[in-house]
């Protein structure tokens, strides 16, 4: 963290226009480090809030219908069609697309995180380019609605991953990047400079908001030769604003390549997470197999790939987008809903065992009459109706308090059992070992597991275990020495979480 500290000390400043942005976003309760730790490090059972901002015509259909003859695709095309009415019409959309009841509904089924796609242009004047520049006033109220989403989510202990879904010029060829036509972000230094400015502003606005789980600095970028350097530059800028805010980056549809790149970035910039997306409906025709074969491929190909990436990144991997939808040919001769349900459960089992979180695309469609809507998919039986960790549900007995108290009674027994197993394991090698480090890690790990389980209304489970354990281990050895045994502290921490997870699952079932 010395490198990160030097970055912040050298460059820290607050431009005056950031204060205006902060006023638009609104005020939140003072930063609560203990709650924020849970939001940021727990296993994420999430969903995307597609087309709340960064609109897409196939999701938010009504607002596009009036201009169908012009065939607008990107949001910039849409506001250009709206002309002088753009502010009024966009505000009406923001005001009605999601409501407080949506977050109450999510929480009731165990969804504990949302991914909120936004376009860079919602920052308004001074941050908008191309078509959005002439319509910057359209977005004067946009941050207010971002703040409202964050506040509603916080009310129900739901974390928010703010995803900068579109950057100046577009980072891919799809209209959801904010531009129609070829991607131009990496062809223009001016666009990249503005992108960094926007990323810096978002980091400033969000770093001290308790239920922000992280900032995603780009969505589905092209695998461009400039991308790695852009990540380096963007991360350096985020660390000016915050040394601890988790930063999420996209894998450019190349998981193996960016696993290696992000592994290096984590060593320099701390809590960095790789986001990969998994869609099976868009596969080439020659790979649109029956559902049984797709499940076989999940187990034999995708599972090893995700395990490798997760291992290399010490668990800092999420599925930022996935869906239950399959190609029609995959469901031939079967009930499509049954096939999707079977496949979705396999997906979730695999993703939950290999990554720190998942986010379904998307929470709603305009009329919620398709499986892209998570609500529709749940109602039709294609997706599970509950997402609580440990197999928890609202009728579980005994209470959080009883389970925590029972776990505390077993702390010494569990620690000695696990320590003895650790000692037996390492006895095959010669050398000195730090068994006190292992024991200290175990105690810290169990304490953290109990805190995550009991502090909020519904239980949470550590997701970024190795990230958290490594940070605790660094702190421990800085006070007690024995850096060569830091790995034993981490092992103890992780095994405490395993022990508690096994205990809770046994109690519940």
């Amino acid at each position: 963290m010395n490198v990160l500290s030097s970055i912040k000390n050298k460059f820290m400043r607050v431009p005056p226009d950031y204060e205006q942005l902060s006023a638009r976003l609104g005020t939140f309760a003072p930063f609560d480090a203990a709650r924020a730790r849970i939001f940021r490090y727990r296993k994420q059972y999430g969903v995307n809030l597609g087309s709340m901002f960064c609109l897409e015509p196939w999701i938010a259909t009504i607002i596009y219908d009036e201009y169908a003859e012009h065939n607008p695709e990107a949001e910039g095309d849409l506001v250009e069609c709206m002309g002088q009415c753009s502010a009024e019409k966009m505000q009406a959309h923001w005001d009605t697309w999601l409501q407080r009841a949506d977050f109450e509904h999510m929480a009731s089924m165990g969804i504990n995180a949302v991914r909120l796609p936004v376009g860079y242009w919602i920052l308004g004047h001074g941050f908008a380019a191309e078509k959005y520049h002439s319509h910057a006033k359209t977005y004067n109220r946009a941050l207010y609605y971002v703040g409202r989403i964050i506040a509603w989510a916080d009310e129900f202990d739901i974390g928010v991953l703010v995803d900068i879904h579109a950057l100046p010029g577009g980072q891919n060829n799809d209209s959801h990047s904010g531009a129609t036509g070829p991607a131009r972000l990496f062809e223009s230094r001016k666009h990249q400079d503005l992108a960094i400015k926007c990323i810096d502003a978002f980091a400033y606005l969000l770093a001290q908001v308790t239920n922000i789980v992280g900032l995603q600095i780009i969505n589905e970028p092209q695998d461009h030769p400039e991308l790695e350097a852009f990540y380096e530059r963007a991360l350096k800028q985020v660390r000016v604003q915050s040394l601890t805010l988790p930063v999420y980056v996209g894998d450019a549809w190349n998981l193996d390549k960016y696993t290696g790149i992000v592994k290096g970035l984590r060593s320099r910039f701390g809590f960095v997470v790789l986001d990969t997306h998994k869609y099976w409906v868009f596969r080439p025709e020659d790979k649109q197999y029956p559902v049984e074969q797709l499940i076989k491929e999940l187990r034999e190909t995708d599972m090893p790939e995700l395990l490798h990436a997760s291992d290399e990144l010490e668990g800092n991997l999420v599925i930022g987008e996935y869906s239950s939808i399959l190609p029609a040919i995959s469901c031939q001769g079967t009930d499509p809903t049954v096939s999707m349900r079977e496949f979705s459960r396999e997906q979730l089992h695999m993703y939950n065992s290999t990554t720190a979180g998942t986010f379904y695309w998307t929470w709603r469609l305009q009329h919620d009459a398709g499986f892209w809507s998570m609500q529709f998919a749940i109602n039709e039986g294609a997706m599970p109706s509950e997402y609580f960790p440990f197999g928890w549900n609202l009728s579980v007995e005994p209470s959080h308090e009883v389970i925590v108290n029972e776990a505390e009674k077993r702390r010494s027994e569990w620690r000695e059992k696990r320590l003895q197993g650790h000692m037996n394991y390492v006895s095959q090698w010669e050398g000195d070992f730090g068994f006190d480090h292992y024991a200290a890690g175990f105690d810290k790990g169990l304490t953290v597991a109990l805190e995550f389980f009991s502090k909020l209304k519904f239980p949470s489970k550590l997701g970024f275990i190795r990230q958290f354990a490594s940070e605790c281990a660094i702190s421990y050895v800085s006070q007690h020495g024995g850096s060569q045994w830091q790995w034993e502290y981490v092992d103890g921490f992780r095994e405490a979480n395993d022990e508690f997870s096994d205990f809770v699952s046994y109690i519940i079932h």
Side-chain angles (χ1 to χ4, degrees):
M1 296 298 286
N2 290 337
V3 173
L4 300 181
S5 298
S6 67
I7 292 173
K8 184 166 185 176
N9 292 336
K10 184 176 181 180
F11 296 106
M12 183 61 181
R13 79 286 179 275
V14 179
D17 53 349
Y18 283 20
E19 296 178 2
Q20 297 175 18
L21 295 177
S22 186
R24 291 181 187 175
L25 184 66
T27 57
F28 303 95
F31 185 71
D32 183 334
R35 285 186 76 229
R37 197 161 52 236
I38 297 174
F39 286 119
R40 293 177 177 186
Y41 290 86
R42 70 182 173 184
K43 175 81 82 171
Q44 298 163 352
Y45 303 90
V47 64
N48 283 273
L49 305 182
S51 280
M52 172 66 192
F53 307 97
C54 203
L55 273 60
E56 298 184 58
W58 66 278
I59 300 177
T61 54
I62 289 178
I63 197 169
Y64 278 87
D65 284 348
E66 184 178 346
Y67 309 98
E69 63 183 281
H70 302 291
N71 195 31
E73 294 184 26
E75 187 172 317
D77 304 329
L78 179 65
V79 295
E80 197 169 59
C81 290
M82 291 175 173
Q84 294 182 349
C85 300
S86 60
E88 177 185 354
K89 292 189 174 184
M90 291 301 292
Q91 186 168 324
H93 168 78
W94 300 329
D95 200 43
T96 57
W97 187 252
L98 293 170
Q99 300 299 315
R100 177 181 177 276
D102 287 288
F103 296 91
E104 184 176 21
H105 186 193
M106 293 175 202
S108 72
M109 65 178 71
I111 292 174
N112 65 12
V114 293
R115 183 172 178 259
L116 179 63
V118 300
Y120 72 94
W121 54 82
I122 68 167
L123 296 171
H125 182 71
F127 296 87
E130 300 183 322
K131 293 180 179 180
Y132 303 99
H133 178 73
S134 56
H135 293 279
K137 289 184 179 179
T138 298
Y139 297 94
N140 283 349
R141 291 277 288 166
L143 283 177
Y144 162 78
Y145 289 99
V146 172
R148 190 170 78 166
I149 291 292
I150 295 170
W152 279 340
D154 187 47
E155 185 178 347
F156 295 100
D157 290 336
I158 294 174
V160 180
L161 171 60
V162 174
D163 156 40
I164 309 178
H165 212 68
L167 288 172
Q171 71 277 8
N172 59 47
N173 295 332
D174 295 313
S175 60
H176 60 66
S177 71
T180 302
R184 299 184 301 280
L185 172 65
F186 298 113
E187 309 307 322
S188 165
R189 182 70 180 188
K190 182 178 179 181
H191 283 330
Q192 291 180 49
D193 289 345
L194 179 56
I196 297 299
K197 179 182 178 183
C198 293
I199 289 168
D200 183 65
F202 278 113
Y204 169 79
L205 291 172
L206 302 171
Q208 294 299 307
V209 180
T210 298
N211 68 316
I212 291 294
V213 303
L215 174 64
Q216 181 155 357
I217 60 174
I218 198 168
N219 173 70
E220 294 182 354
Q222 285 184 337
D223 187 6
H224 193 278
E226 295 283 329
L227 183 57
E228 185 176 356
F230 179 80
Y231 280 173
E232 184 95 21
R233 188 180 174 200
L235 284 162
K236 192 174 292 184
Q237 196 62 47
V238 172
R239 290 294 173 243
V240 170
Q241 299 296 349
S242 172
L243 300 180
T244 57
L245 179 68
V247 182
Y248 290 61
V249 301
D251 72 348
W253 303 104
N254 192 336
L255 179 59
D256 187 59
K257 175 180 177 179
Y258 283 87
T259 293
I261 289 172
V262 173
K263 182 178 181 179
L265 293 173
R266 288 186 63 240
S267 69
R268 299 193 298 284
F269 297 106
F271 200 162
V272 182
V273 182
L274 184 60
D275 167 33
T276 190
H277 296 173
K278 293 291 184 181
Y279 289 120
W280 295 77
V281 68
F282 300 128
R283 292 161 66 87
E285 286 189 15
D286 62 340
K287 293 189 176 181
Q288 293 183 4
Y289 309 130
V291 66
E292 295 83 6
Q293 194 167 344
L294 292 181
I295 290 174
K296 185 172 185 287
E297 187 174 330
L298 263 178
R299 295 170 177 169
E300 297 180 359
T301 302
D302 275 52
M303 183 80 157
E305 288 177 354
L306 288 173
L307 280 170
H308 171 73
S310 184
D311 187 57
E312 288 293 298
L313 296 170
E314 297 186 312
N316 284 19
L317 178 69
V318 298
I319 309 294
E321 295 180 19
Y322 76 101
S323 170
S324 63
I325 298 179
L326 296 173
I329 194 172
S330 298
C331 304
Q332 280 186 352
T334 69
D335 180 336
T337 301
V338 172
S339 293
M340 284 188 278
R341 177 168 63 241
E342 183 181 0
F343 188 77
S344 293
R345 293 183 189 279
E346 286 286 337
Q347 277 195 106
L348 284 171
H349 172 73
M350 182 179 74
Y351 299 157
N352 286 332
S353 62
T354 57
T355 76
T358 57
F359 296 84
Y360 192 91
W361 186 275
T362 181
W363 175 242
R364 65 162 298 194
L365 303 178
Q366 187 78 67
H367 303 292
D368 281 327
F371 290 96
W372 286 106
S373 162
M374 188 180 199
Q375 296 175 82
F376 181 88
I378 289 171
N379 290 338
E380 293 296 308
M383 288 291 292
S385 59
E386 291 189 333
Y387 296 84
F388 298 101
F390 309 106
W392 187 269
N393 62 65
L394 299 181
S395 62
V396 162
E397 296 289 346
S399 68
H400 292 190
E401 184 179 0
V402 169
I403 290 176
V404 169
N405 288 340
E406 287 300 315
E408 279 290 5
K409 291 177 184 178
R410 291 166 168 77
R411 179 186 289 265
S412 295
E413 172 194 339
W414 288 346
R415 182 179 58 241
E416 293 308 310
K417 179 186 71 175
R418 291 281 184 161
L419 178 58
Q420 188 60 54
H422 173 73
M423 293 169 68
N424 292 340
Y425 174 72
V426 300
S427 65
Q428 61 187 300
W429 298 296
E430 295 182 359
D432 295 328
F433 296 98
F435 298 137
D436 54 337
H437 286 59
Y438 179 94
F442 185 95
D443 276 332
K444 181 66 173 180
L446 183 56
T447 298
V448 170
L450 298 182
E451 177 188 3
F452 274 52
F453 183 80
S454 62
K455 187 172 180 64
L456 305 181
K457 181 178 180 180
F458 297 130
S460 296
K461 180 179 184 179
L462 261 170
F464 295 95
I465 297 178
R466 281 180 281 182
Q467 177 75 40
F468 199 117
S470 295
E471 292 173 9
C472 292
I474 290 170
S475 175
Y476 182 83
V477 300
S478 70
Q479 299 176 50
H480 302 278
S483 59
Q484 70 271 32
W485 300 313
Q486 186 171 310
W487 66 273
E488 292 188 80
Y489 183 102
V490 171
D491 276 5
F493 188 106
R494 292 171 59 191
E495 292 203 7
N497 274 269
D498 291 343
E499 189 72 49
F500 180 68
S501 293
D502 292 345
F503 175 68
V504 175
S505 297
Y506 174 78
I507 292 291
I508 291 174
H509 298 108

